[in-house]
Amino acid sequence: MVTLKQLAKELNVSISTVSKALNNSEEIGEETVRRVKELAELYNYRPNKVALSLKNNKTKTIGVIIPNILNRFLAKVLFGIEREAAEHGYNIITCISNESLQKEKDSLQLLGNGSVDGFILSVAEESQINNEVEHFKNTIKQGLPIVMFDRVAHDVLCDKVIVDDFDATYNATKSLIEEGRGRIVFISNIDDISVGKLRERGYNKAILETGRLEPLVLKVKKKDDHPKKIKSFFKKNNSIDGIIAADSSSGIIALNTAVNFGLKVPKDISVIAFASKSDSNHTLPKLTTIRQHAKIIGAHAAQVLISRMQNTLTEEDVKTKIVKTSLVKNKSTL
Amino acid sequence: MVTLKQLAKELNVSISTVSKALNNSEEIGEETVRRVKELAELYNYRPNKVALSLKNNKTKTIGVIIPNILNRFLAKVLFGIEREAAEHGYNIITCISNESLQKEKDSLQLLGNGSVDGFILSVAEESQINNEVEHFKNTIKQGLPIVMFDRVAHDVLCDKVIVDDFDATYNATKSLIEEGRGRIVFISNIDDISVGKLRERGYNKAILETGRLEPLVLKVKKKDDHPKKIKSFFKKNNSIDGIIAADSSSGIIALNTAVNFGLKVPKDISVIAFASKSDSNHTLPKLTTIRQHAKIIGAHAAQVLISRMQNTLTEEDVKTKIVKTSLVKNKSTL
DNA sequence: CTGAAAGCGCTAACAC
DNA sequence: GTGTTAGCGCTTTCAG
């Protein structure tokens, strides 16, 4: 990489002259500016990012800590963050906590040493289970703002972007009840995390509100053979006529299993799942989905963090933004 | 963040004394070392990463340019890269080219200004279609090593990590032929990229080698309604008894469609797709898959790049590593 | 109009 | 054993 020093030497002027010329300072003579810019162009000069960061005490970089990049929703949020960040001239450094508290702490520490100006993160499963939040608080105390999305720690005072999980599941369940379904099961493989619990509560509320239906819940664990578990559940409960799935995988498997049992979808049974558009293509009939608008969540988180870092937000007014889901009806419901 | 300067002031010693003490230099007295370390601990001192980068002319950061983070395979590679990088003390800055040549160029430029020590990337679709490689060559000329994976530009002299796409598809097709299948269709929605073409060629070779079978190819475009397109193809070609899918989505949709047509899988028709383990759970029966070992590819790419950046590899011996796929037989084949 | 100098935080060669 | 100094690449104030 060419430096100002090298340009200055070659042009027989001082470093500061070159710097000013390139930054269109009024101070420098027209002719000099021309010469400097020409040579800079020739050598494809770019200001060294690291030097700028040191000088300005700003890296123009956002640290993103994602629990699991293989989760489609989280990957999509990352996509939204990256795009929004890029538009504002920010880069993102990505760390994957892999649902581990330790890795989450490490990432915060590691990037908190000047590598980034702030964080966007979704809390790791282990951290949520242990209700561990000190590391977040420390980071904020250090002066690095955090924006949490989806899985948030309510005890930490910071900006948040969340989904209306409770309402969405409540409404979806209600819509099945209104279809006349009487034996609706809630299937989830995300029972351990905050949003999973919220979704279950939304389901429960809708069911109990009827005064006649009973909640029926199937929790699938990471280590289980998911198709097998769901299949045997169907066998034991053969009157099921409705499914609310807290995650896309459970939804897809449940629908396929139902079809395999000879049930007509949606005549005999309706299925709704938290899932993306492409997921809905992976079942026949197409899956009715609750869409979380992951990209919008990501974009929003990035916007809030960038405002925060540029101090256009006042210290105290941390905000929680709720991004509403949409129920997209396809052919797996009446 | 606390700096050496502040510690020095508080301890009434010089900055370099503090620095040396923290770096366990032999020069400094035992007692001083103790005092310094104590205070550093108290203030939770961490050396400023940016200053170190400037000093050492090394960022310990890898730039990763991914065409599409929503592609499960690519996301998994990213996972592998991140993990391997973290183990070696490297961070990764992620850019998403979104299959755009311009964004790819921009990312290379932007991060090439000192933000990263090297790149790992998979070539964007648009770049492959236009066969554009100058931006890669320029980056390498600048002294920043590149490791390409999966979709590589063969005209660029750099390390590469690829999959045995041709052989894998050839072997998978052959296995269907050996099952006695006579009307095998190749379905792909990745026709535009290098690996898609390789897979098609592998399929073709196996088909043509028989001397009696005819290739039958269905290409699905991004803008198509995938399930619809595949369905109508099935209608027109009702003697199909084998499917090789170049991507997981096509495989899943094709299998579901076949079932929907009343075909028994694998009695009447066999299906094999390039896909991951979790994808195979999303069909009933479980999908037989060609596994690409994405995480291993990522880890390997990171290893090679790190060696390259630490100059433990000699300038000239660029290597292409082929990570072999595995054919994992499930219930969608005989 | 141009240049010298200081400083961002750190390390290391070289005094003392 | 401890301190001074220079330098990584850049911007910016202040002198000339």
Side-chain angles (χ1 to χ4, degrees):
Chain A
M1 276 190 29
V2 210
T3 65
L4 289 183
K5 202 178 181 179
Q6 291 162 43
L7 294 180
K9 193 172 171 193
E10 193 146 337
L11 290 163
N12 268 319
V13 295
S14 76
I15 294 176
S16 57
T17 303
V18 179
S19 171
K20 286 172 188 164
L22 291 174
N23 289 308
N24 295 313
S25 161
E26 301 289 309
E27 300 178 29
I28 306 298
E30 223 175 287
E31 167 66 7
T32 314
V33 170
R34 203 189 45 68
R35 281 177 59 222
V36 169
K37 287 200 170 174
E38 244 167 34
L39 197 70
E41 175 79 7
L42 177 65
Y43 284 149
N44 192 28
Y45 168 81
R46 307 281 152 195
N48 182 307
K49 186 84 187 307
V50 175
L52 283 179
S53 297
L54 184 60
K55 180 85 186 135
N56 302 330
N57 201 20
K58 295 233 163 146
T59 60
K60 289 279 246 171
T61 304
I62 296 172
V64 180
I65 307 176
I66 294 271
N68 173 8
I69 189 70
L70 302 180
N71 175 312
R72 217 184 149 69
F73 168 71
L74 294 174
K76 231 163 172 168
V77 175
L78 180 62
F79 181 74
I81 295 172
E82 202 272 349
R83 196 165 53 182
E84 188 71 20
E87 248 163 49
H88 291 266
Y90 279 80
N91 286 128
I92 63 173
I93 291 195
T94 313
C95 289
I96 298 164
S97 67
N98 217 358
E99 308 290 8
S100 142
L101 169 59
Q102 191 56 51
K103 182 83 198 290
E104 191 173 81
K105 281 183 180 171
D106 290 350
S107 303
L108 241 26
Q109 269 282 359
L110 232 62
L111 299 185
N113 62 7
S115 298
V116 304
D117 298 339
F119 289 96
I120 296 176
L121 61 86
S122 190
V123 180
E125 185 175 322
E126 196 186 347
S127 315
Q128 289 209 322
I129 292 174
N130 299 346
N131 200 18
E132 185 95 29
V133 298
E134 278 311 308
H135 51 310
F136 300 131
K137 290 187 175 171
N138 284 335
T139 303
I140 293 170
K141 213 185 300 168
Q142 263 185 54
L144 289 170
I146 295 181
V147 174
M148 296 186 179
F149 70 88
D150 196 50
R151 308 186 201 161
V152 301
H154 286 290
D155 301 345
V156 178
L157 196 73
C158 66
D159 297 297
K160 291 164 191 135
V161 184
I162 58 174
V163 163
D164 61 336
D165 291 286
F166 181 89
D167 287 347
T169 324
Y170 171 77
N171 290 330
T173 310
K174 262 192 99 164
S175 84
L176 290 195
I177 294 170
E178 280 157 16
E179 280 183 7
R181 305 302 183 180
R183 192 81 179 130
I184 303 167
V185 57
F186 177 80
I187 305 183
S188 169
N189 75 19
I190 54 169
D191 178 49
D192 279 331
I193 59 176
S194 55
V195 296
K197 293 192 212 305
L198 280 172
R199 291 173 193 177
E200 186 177 346
R201 273 192 241 139
Y203 160 84
N204 275 328
K205 183 180 178 209
I207 294 289
L208 296 175
E209 242 179 30
T210 62
R212 54 189 175 87
L213 302 183
E214 292 265 309
L216 183 60
V217 173
L218 171 62
K219 289 174 183 174
V220 184
K221 296 289 169 205
K222 289 248 156 43
K223 55 182 195 317
D224 292 339
D225 180 329
H226 295 201
K228 206 169 174 180
K229 184 128 187 193
I230 290 175
K231 201 168 175 178
S232 72
F233 185 83
F234 266 72
K235 271 192 194 146
K236 278 193 215 112
N237 302 271
N238 54 17
S239 58
I240 293 168
D241 58 8
I243 293 168
I244 301 285
D247 61 279
S248 62
S249 191
S250 297
I252 293 172
I253 297 173
L255 195 156
N256 285 338
T257 305
V259 170
N260 194 248
F261 267 94
L263 296 175
K264 297 289 176 216
V265 180
K267 193 171 148 280
D268 304 329
I269 182 169
S270 290
V271 184
I272 300 179
F274 278 83
S276 66
K277 185 172 178 189
S278 66
D279 289 321
S280 69
N281 275 341
H282 287 176
T283 62
L284 246 169
K286 276 194 187 179
L287 187 58
T288 289
T289 52
I290 301 170
R291 295 277 177 74
Q292 298 182 79
H293 308 299
K295 287 177 213 167
I296 293 173
I297 293 174
H300 199 84
Q303 276 166 25
V304 173
L305 183 65
I306 290 170
S307 308
R308 181 71 66 193
M309 293 185 308
Q310 296 175 344
N311 285 317
T312 55
L313 299 177
T314 57
E315 187 75 20
E316 296 310 326
D317 68 358
V318 302
K319 290 231 172 66
T320 293
K321 162 92 178 177
I322 298 175
V323 176
K324 282 241 170 77
T325 54
S326 324
L327 181 67
V328 177
K329 296 224 174 195
N330 281 317
K331 300 302 172 85
S332 71
T333 46
L334 290 174
Chain B
M1 276 189 33
V2 209
T3 65
L4 289 184
K5 202 179 181 178
Q6 292 162 42
L7 294 180
K9 194 174 171 193
E10 193 146 336
L11 290 163
N12 268 318
V13 295
S14 77
I15 294 176
S16 62
T17 302
V18 179
S19 170
K20 285 173 188 163
L22 291 174
N23 290 308
N24 296 314
S25 162
E26 300 290 308
E27 299 178 29
I28 307 296
E30 223 175 286
E31 168 65 7
T32 314
V33 170
R34 203 189 44 70
R35 283 178 57 221
V36 169
K37 286 200 171 173
E38 244 166 34
L39 197 70
E41 176 79 7
L42 178 66
Y43 285 149
N44 192 28
Y45 168 81
R46 305 284 149 193
N48 182 306
K49 185 85 186 309
V50 175
L52 283 179
S53 297
L54 185 60
K55 180 86 183 135
N56 303 329
N57 201 19
K58 294 231 164 145
T59 60
K60 289 280 245 171
T61 303
I62 296 171
V64 180
I65 307 177
I66 295 272
N68 173 7
I69 190 68
L70 302 180
N71 176 312
R72 216 184 149 70
F73 168 71
L74 294 173
K76 233 164 170 165
V77 175
L78 180 62
F79 181 74
I81 294 172
E82 202 273 347
R83 195 165 54 182
E84 189 71 20
E87 248 163 50
H88 291 265
Y90 280 78
N91 285 320
I92 63 173
I93 291 196
T94 314
C95 289
I96 298 163
S97 68
N98 215 358
E99 308 289 9
S100 141
L101 169 58
Q102 191 56 50
K103 182 83 199 288
E104 191 173 81
K105 282 183 179 171
D106 290 350
S107 303
L108 240 27
Q109 270 280 1
L110 231 61
L111 299 185
N113 61 8
S115 298
V116 303
D117 298 339
F119 289 96
I120 297 177
L121 61 86
S122 189
V123 181
E125 185 175 324
E126 196 187 347
S127 315
Q128 289 209 321
I129 292 174
N130 300 345
N131 200 19
E132 185 95 30
V133 298
E134 278 311 307
H135 52 311
F136 301 130
K137 290 188 175 170
N138 284 334
T139 303
I140 294 170
K141 213 183 300 167
Q142 263 185 55
L144 289 171
I146 294 181
V147 174
M148 295 185 179
F149 72 88
D150 196 50
R151 308 186 201 162
V152 302
H154 287 289
D155 301 345
V156 178
L157 195 73
C158 66
D159 297 297
K160 293 166 188 130
V161 184
I162 58 175
V163 162
D164 62 336
D165 291 286
F166 181 88
D167 287 347
T169 324
Y170 172 77
N171 290 330
T173 310
K174 263 191 98 165
S175 83
L176 290 195
I177 294 168
E178 280 159 15
E179 280 184 8
R181 306 302 183 179
R183 191 80 179 130
I184 301 167
V185 56
F186 177 80
I187 306 184
S188 169
N189 75 20
I190 54 168
D191 178 49
D192 279 332
I193 59 176
S194 56
V195 297
K197 294 192 213 305
L198 280 172
R199 291 173 193 178
E200 184 176 346
R201 273 192 240 140
Y203 159 84
N204 274 328
K205 184 180 177 211
I207 294 289
L208 295 175
E209 242 178 32
T210 62
R212 54 189 175 87
L213 302 183
E214 293 264 308
L216 183 61
V217 173
L218 171 61
K219 289 175 182 171
V220 184
K221 297 289 171 205
K222 290 247 157 38
K223 56 182 195 317
D224 292 339
D225 178 328
H226 295 200
K228 204 168 173 180
K229 184 131 187 192
I230 290 175
K231 200 166 176 180
S232 73
F233 185 84
F234 266 73
K235 271 192 193 147
K236 278 193 213 110
N237 302 270
N238 53 17
S239 58
I240 294 169
D241 59 7
I243 294 168
I244 301 286
D247 62 280
S248 61
S249 189
S250 297
I252 293 172
I253 297 173
L255 195 156
N256 285 337
T257 305
V259 169
N260 193 247
F261 267 94
L263 296 174
K264 296 287 175 215
V265 180
K267 192 171 151 279
D268 304 329
I269 183 168
S270 291
V271 185
I272 300 179
F274 278 83
S276 66
K277 186 172 177 191
S278 66
D279 289 321
S280 69
N281 275 341
H282 287 176
T283 62
L284 245 169
K286 275 194 185 181
L287 188 57
T288 289
T289 53
I290 302 169
R291 295 278 175 75
Q292 299 182 77
H293 308 299
K295 287 176 214 168
I296 293 174
I297 293 174
H300 199 87
Q303 276 165 27
V304 173
L305 182 66
I306 290 170
S307 309
R308 180 71 64 196
M309 292 186 308
Q310 296 174 346
N311 286 319
T312 56
L313 298 177
T314 57
E315 188 75 20
E316 296 309 328
D317 69 0
V318 302
K319 290 231 172 67
T320 293
K321 162 91 178 178
I322 298 175
V323 176
K324 283 241 170 79
T325 54
S326 322
L327 181 65
V328 177
K329 295 222 174 196
N330 281 318
K331 300 304 172 83
S332 72
T333 46
L334 291 174

